[in-house]
Amino acid sequence: MNDTTTGQELSASLMAYVKHFKLPIPSQIQSPNSPEQLEAIASSILTFQQKQGMIAIAPAQFDHLIQQAIEQFSAENVETAIVDPTTQALVQDVHQWQQTLENQVLDTLTAYVQMLPSGQLENLSLENLSLQDLSKTILSIVPLVDNGQLRKLEVDSLIQSVTSKFNLKTAMEQLVGSESLAIAQQLSKSLQLGDLETLLKETVLGNSQSLVDQLNQPIENITEDFVNSKLAELLGNNALQMDIDVDAQQMMVKQVTFKLNVIQSSPTPTKSAEEIAAQIDNETKDFLADRNTNLDFSNLFNRS
C-alpha cells in the first residue's frame, strides 16, 4: 500500500472516528477538542494498524501522514460523511484498544497506590499529588501494559486522560485484579531502580554530540537489543556495585527503550537535539535531587 492510499484511508478513518464517537469538532467555539487531539487520534489509528499487521510505515512517514489527514479534515463534512463498513469497524477497534489500554494503566496506578503501607496512607491527600510527577509515573506504567511502541502524541493523550480520571478516594476503595497487582509490583520495583534507569539513559545517549548523531538516525536504531547491551556494560562495571535479577533487567530495558523513543517521536516541528539533551539532563537532576529510596507517597511520583 503506497503513502497516497494510506493517507486517504487515514483521512477517512479520522473523519469516521470523530463522527461515530460524536467528538466535539475543533472549529466549534469552546470545543474541548484541539488539533493536537485529532493528531493523537490519527496517530493511534496508524499505530493500531501497524500492531495488527495491516500496514507498514517508516517512522519518518508518520508525521507526514498525520499532517495530511489533519489538513484534509473538514469539520463541516463530519455529519454528512459516508462511512464504509470496513472503516467503521476499524475505528471501533481502535477506540476499544485505546479504552483497554487506558483502563489497564488506571487499574495499575490504583493497585500501586493501594500497595503503600497503611502508615504512609494516613498522610495521603490530593494535595500531595503533583501533576508532573503523576504523569511521570503513568509514563512508567505504559510499557508494562503494552508491548507496542506508542508515539508521543498517543502517550500524551493517554496521560492526560488517565490523569483526569484518577481519583484518590475512589482508588483506595476500588477492587483491583491480580494482573493489575502483579504489574503494580513490577512498577514498584522499577521505581526503586530510578538512578540506574537515569544512568542507563545517559549511557545510551552519550554526550550531546552523540545525541545529535542518534537523532539523525531512524527511531528504530534505539532498540531493546542496543539498550540491553549498554545495560550489560553498566552491570559489568565493578564500580557500580549493583546486582539485579534478569526480570528486573528486562523491565529496565523496556522502560528506557520506550521512554527514549517516545521523546524522539515528537511531532513536527521536532525538538532539537540540544533541547532533548537538556530535557533528559533536567530529568536527571530532578532525580538526583531526590535520592531517597524509601517508598512513601511524597516521593512516590518522583521517579523518571
Side-chain angles (χ1 to χ4, degrees), residues 84-251:
D84 65 76
T86 300
T87 303
Q88 178 75 8
L90 172 63
V91 298
Q92 287 178 308
D93 288 343
V94 171
H95 187 262
Q96 180 60 50
W97 166 61
Q98 291 172 313
Q99 291 300 302
T100 298
L101 179 57
E102 180 182 305
N103 290 337
Q104 288 175 321
V105 172
L106 193 53
D107 287 347
T108 300
L109 182 60
T110 297
Y112 180 54
V113 170
Q114 291 182 0
M115 287 171 54
L116 292 171
S118 57
Q120 295 172 14
L121 292 177
E122 292 177 359
N123 297 322
L124 200 60
S125 69
L126 287 174
E127 287 72 20
N128 297 133
L129 290 174
S130 158
L131 183 61
Q132 180 180 7
D133 294 337
L134 181 59
S135 297
K136 288 182 180 181
T137 301
I138 295 171
L139 179 62
S140 294
I141 293 174
V142 177
L144 300 180
V145 300
D146 187 88
N147 293 326
Q149 180 58 59
L150 304 181
R151 293 176 63 79
K152 192 174 188 302
L153 285 167
E154 303 159 57
V155 173
D156 287 346
S157 179
L158 176 62
I159 289 175
Q160 182 180 17
S161 182
V162 172
T163 300
S164 68
K165 294 180 180 179
F166 179 72
N167 181 284
L168 192 56
K169 184 176 185 299
T170 302
M172 298 312 302
E173 299 172 350
Q174 182 179 331
L175 293 177
V176 293
S178 57
E179 183 176 355
S180 296
L181 286 171
I183 298 174
Q185 290 172 346
Q186 289 183 315
L187 174 65
S188 178
K189 191 172 185 178
S190 175
L191 296 182
Q192 301 281 342
L193 298 171
D195 44 0
L196 177 59
E197 179 180 320
T198 298
L199 183 59
L200 181 55
K201 286 178 184 176
E202 292 176 330
T203 302
V204 170
L205 293 174
N207 57 36
S208 297
Q209 185 56 50
S210 296
L211 179 59
V212 172
D213 297 336
Q214 290 273 3
L215 294 177
N216 287 332
Q217 301 176 17
I219 286 176
E220 293 98 331
N221 281 354
I222 297 185
T223 63
E224 288 192 7
D225 285 344
F226 179 69
V227 175
N228 189 56
S229 68
K230 296 303 177 183
L231 177 59
E233 292 177 9
L234 286 176
L235 296 178
N237 185 344
N238 293 331
L240 188 61
Q241 294 184 341
M242 180 174 289
D243 183 26
I244 62 175
D245 59 40
V246 174
D247 289 340
Q249 291 180 41
Q250 292 176 344
M251 181 171 58

